[in-house]
Amino acid sequence: MISFICNNKEISADSPGGLPVLDWIRAQNGLKGTKEGCREGDCGACTVVVGKPVKNGIEYSALCSCLLPLGEIAGCHLVTIEGLSSDNSDELTPFQRSFYDEAASQCGFCTPGMIMSLTGCLLGSPELTVSAAMEALDGNICRCTGYVAVKRSVHSVIEALPQKWENRLDMLIANGHIPAYFKTISQRLGKLPSSTNSSDGTVVAGGTDIYVHSSNKLSGEQPDFLCRRDDLNYIRRDREVVRVGSAVTFNQLRRSPVISSILPGLKNFLSKVSSTQIRSRATVGGNIINASPIADMAIVFLALDASVTVSGRSIPLREFYLSYKKLDMQPGDILTEISFPLPEPGSTLSSLKVAKREFLDIASVNSSMLFRIDNGVILFARVSAGGVSPIPLLLARTGSYLCGQTLSEETIKEACKLAENEISPISDVRGSKQYKIQLLKAQIRAHLSRGVQQ
Ligand SMILES: Cc1cc2nc3c(=O)[nH]c(=O)nc-3n(C[C@H](O)[C@H](O)[C@H](O)COP(=O)(O)OP(=O)(O)OC[C@H]3O[C@@H](n4cnc5c(N)ncnc54)[C@H](O)[C@@H]3O)c2cc1C
Ligand code: FES
Ligand code: FES
């Protein structure tokens, strides 16, 4: 049995832990407000809000229910669009009312997902600003209305929020954004068993990769949920080493004070990685194991000279990728930690990606450079690139050439020439071979110019 609260109702579901929450909501529970679009995390139509008990209350996030296994919400609060109305009331929330007033919805298929993303922002975003609310919609696609009217709604609702409040939940209830029953959830969750069914072996972390291609198979299984393990969820600095548990999500990385103090530019780069809903689930461990040649975090960690700990064995990340999707690990191995040496003072980590769309897209080419420039001399550089080889690649020769060079046009040209010889891109849907070579060269130039500007 998987126990949780769906909207205002306690549930004990006798379903496999691997069943996507979307299927439970629509097929088994008959709540049809949550829409099914792509089933790949791409459209946001299936967005729900999930509240997870944490030390000081409940942490709410908007998630794609098509990629979310039911076993993951044991002990949690699942909120669907129906849960935004009080029992016996069909009053609209301010966002729903404003979408109506501003004509921000035509066919309406994307609208419940958008309202849930915005409600997730109200409940869980560290900041309640127009830009935070707009960013919360980066995983929601509208195919008929467009976004101008949506932007108007966001402005009008966010700007009408009180400037000050003591308790966010009380403020949201008083202003009609959520019903009063939300106040009872924390105490009610405390009485529920939070354990999930025992596992039959398939490892699922955030599920944002494996559910895209194996949802049907996993629907009847009891996966092993790594994100429910506290021992895999930490970010800490141990003297000269930074340690990140494999189940840390992109959003946790983005909000981590430890990471912001060491790698201040990473937060901005992470805003271009997937979408709000995906970042709340996708883990750094899953990104590395997924072994996509354009995995954004693998590229970042390669430039940081990270090591991975796999079933107790420490392996430099640059040696972990053997060939396309082939890793130095055995079946049953678990990646537990990613660690990297603290960059020297004065170092810059620059990460870039170029994709067909600015948001919610994987890269044609991405790259990272960790470097230190002093008085026009590159004291140190390490470069990595994705989309240019069968594996996420460390450009070892380019990096060692740059170390000690004066930063000049000639140096940049020579580095680009060396990089071209280290890579083996292929033409595919993300661009031709020649285009990818040009993209990487442009990114190398851009990384180094960031160093000059500082
Ligand atoms: C809409 C969408 C947008 C995306 N955008 C991006 C993007 O911009 N950039 C990008 O890099 N990726 C992107 N991705 C891909 C994906 O989200 C990431 O690769 C993510 O980091 C995968 O992590 P996960 O925790 O969800 O992995 P899961 O799906 O849980 O797992 C992936 C694989 O790794 C295994 N695994 C996971 N963790 C471990 C572990 N600790 N030990 C052993 N095995 C493990 C699983 O068994 C599975 O085989 C996107 C995906 C979607 C659906
Ligand atoms: S159905 Fe498209 S994101 Fe889930
Ligand atoms: S209103 Fe039709 S897809 Fe957005």
Side-chain angles (χ1 to χ4, degrees):
M1 286 291 177
I2 301 169
S3 304
F4 56 97
I5 297 176
C6 175
N7 300 328
N8 194 13
K9 193 172 159 195
E10 274 80 355
I11 304 281
S12 279
D14 187 11
S15 302
L19 183 76
V21 167
L22 175 64
D23 294 344
W24 181 84
I25 293 171
R26 285 181 61 88
Q28 298 198 11
N29 209 36
L31 294 173
K32 304 285 176 142
T34 306
K35 301 300 176 208
E36 177 177 337
C38 63
R39 284 188 81 95
E40 292 191 353
D42 261 323
C43 72
C46 67
T47 303
V48 293
V49 170
V50 173
K52 196 174 173 184
V54 289
K55 234 188 257 164
N56 306 322
I58 303 184
E59 199 174 83
Y60 282 97
S61 321
L63 304 175
C64 292
S65 60
C66 63
L67 305 181
L68 179 65
L70 195 66
E72 276 283 23
I73 62 166
C76 295
H77 184 205
L78 168 67
V79 189
T80 67
I81 188 81
E82 292 85 354
L84 300 188
S85 310
S86 308
D87 293 342
N88 311 319
S89 156
D90 52 9
E91 216 165 277
L92 300 180
T93 68
F95 271 124
Q96 288 172 323
R97 164 63 52 197
S98 155
F99 266 50
Y100 178 79
D101 291 344
E102 299 285 356
S105 175
Q106 280 189 73
C107 79
F109 195 80
C110 69
T111 309
M114 291 214 185
I115 299 292
M116 294 315 290
S117 289
L118 290 166
T119 307
C121 172
L122 291 175
L123 283 161
S125 168
E127 293 157 16
L128 289 188
T129 57
V130 169
S131 63
M134 285 311 300
E135 189 182 286
L137 291 172
D138 61 5
N140 294 83
I141 288 178
C142 176
R143 282 288 176 249
C144 64
T145 304
Y147 304 94
V148 175
V150 172
K151 273 188 192 169
R152 281 200 304 268
S153 288
V154 167
H155 270 273
S156 70
V157 173
I158 297 290
E159 283 159 8
L161 286 173
Q163 294 297 309
K164 284 191 182 148
W165 63 84
E166 271 183 27
N167 178 297
R168 190 186 287 205
L169 220 49
D170 288 342
M171 181 276 283
L172 294 176
I173 292 169
N175 286 275
H177 287 283
I178 48 171
Y181 77 78
F182 271 69
K183 273 299 258 191
T184 66
I185 295 295
S186 183
Q187 193 217 0
R188 286 160 65 191
L189 285 182
K191 293 183 187 156
L192 286 186
S194 63
S195 58
T196 194
N197 299 340
S198 62
S199 147
D200 58 14
T202 307
V203 167
V204 172
T208 63
D209 173 50
I210 198 168
Y211 266 83
V212 172
H213 52 79
S214 302
S215 175
N216 285 346
K217 177 180 165 285
L218 289 164
S219 285
E221 294 186 5
Q222 310 286 2
D224 184 1
F225 298 117
L226 298 190
C227 288
R228 297 183 71 83
R229 283 179 50 178
D230 289 341
D231 62 324
L232 300 180
N233 196 333
Y234 56 86
I235 301 173
R236 64 167 187 266
R237 180 181 158 182
D238 283 346
R239 294 173 188 267
E240 300 303 301
V241 178
V242 182
R243 300 184 187 281
V244 179
S246 65
V248 164
T249 65
F250 294 176
N251 268 345
Q252 284 177 316
L253 203 65
R254 200 161 168 242
R255 292 175 185 171
S256 156
V258 175
I259 297 295
S260 303
S261 66
I262 299 166
L263 306 168
L266 192 58
K267 188 175 176 182
N268 199 27
F269 176 69
L270 282 169
S271 71
K272 301 286 185 291
V273 176
S274 59
S275 64
T276 299
Q277 293 96 316
I278 301 295
R279 283 194 297 271
S280 292
R281 287 281 299 155
T283 65
V284 292
N287 195 261
I288 285 171
I289 299 286
N290 170 12
S292 159
I294 40 162
D296 284 318
M297 296 321 297
I299 297 303
V300 167
F301 283 116
L302 274 170
L304 290 167
D305 197 23
S307 296
V308 289
T309 306
V310 177
S311 299
R313 200 161 54 101
S314 175
I315 310 160
L317 185 57
R318 63 179 182 279
E319 293 169 14
F320 190 50
Y321 296 111
L322 304 177
S323 56
Y324 179 68
K325 296 254 175 188
K326 194 165 184 317
L327 305 168
D328 180 9
M329 66 190 283
Q330 302 302 318
D333 274 351
I334 296 287
L335 166 61
T336 50
E337 183 179 271
I338 299 102
S339 61
F340 58 91
L342 194 68
E344 296 250 337
S347 303
T348 299
L349 176 75
S350 167
S351 300
L352 292 165
K353 74 186 265 190
V354 173
K356 286 190 171 176
R357 288 189 309 212
E358 186 180 0
F359 295 102
L360 196 49
D361 205 0
I362 43 179
S364 295
V365 171
N366 52 5
S367 62
S368 276
M369 191 186 287
L370 182 73
F371 60 97
R372 196 151 47 91
I373 298 179
D374 192 21
N375 264 333
V377 177
I378 305 165
L379 299 178
F380 168 80
R382 193 181 303 107
V383 199
S384 58
V388 290
S389 123
I391 58 170
L393 193 68
L394 182 74
L395 301 177
R397 289 201 296 279
T398 310
S400 44
Y401 162 73
L402 283 169
C403 297
Q405 297 292 330
T406 303
L407 182 55
S408 64
E409 183 57 29
E410 206 179 299
T411 301
I412 294 174
K413 279 190 178 152
E414 183 59 24
C416 289
K417 206 157 64 173
L418 282 169
E420 187 173 347
N421 287 330
E422 286 197 81
I423 61 177
S424 49
I426 52 166
S427 297
D428 60 17
V429 287
R430 291 186 206 106
S432 66
K433 178 180 167 174
Q434 271 315 315
Y435 174 63
K436 291 179 186 179
I437 293 171
Q438 293 313 318
L439 276 186
L440 179 61
K441 288 179 174 179
Q443 289 184 17
I444 288 176
R445 184 176 288 277
H447 289 309
L448 290 169
S449 67
R450 280 180 170 181
V452 174
Q453 284 156 15
Q454 281 169 4

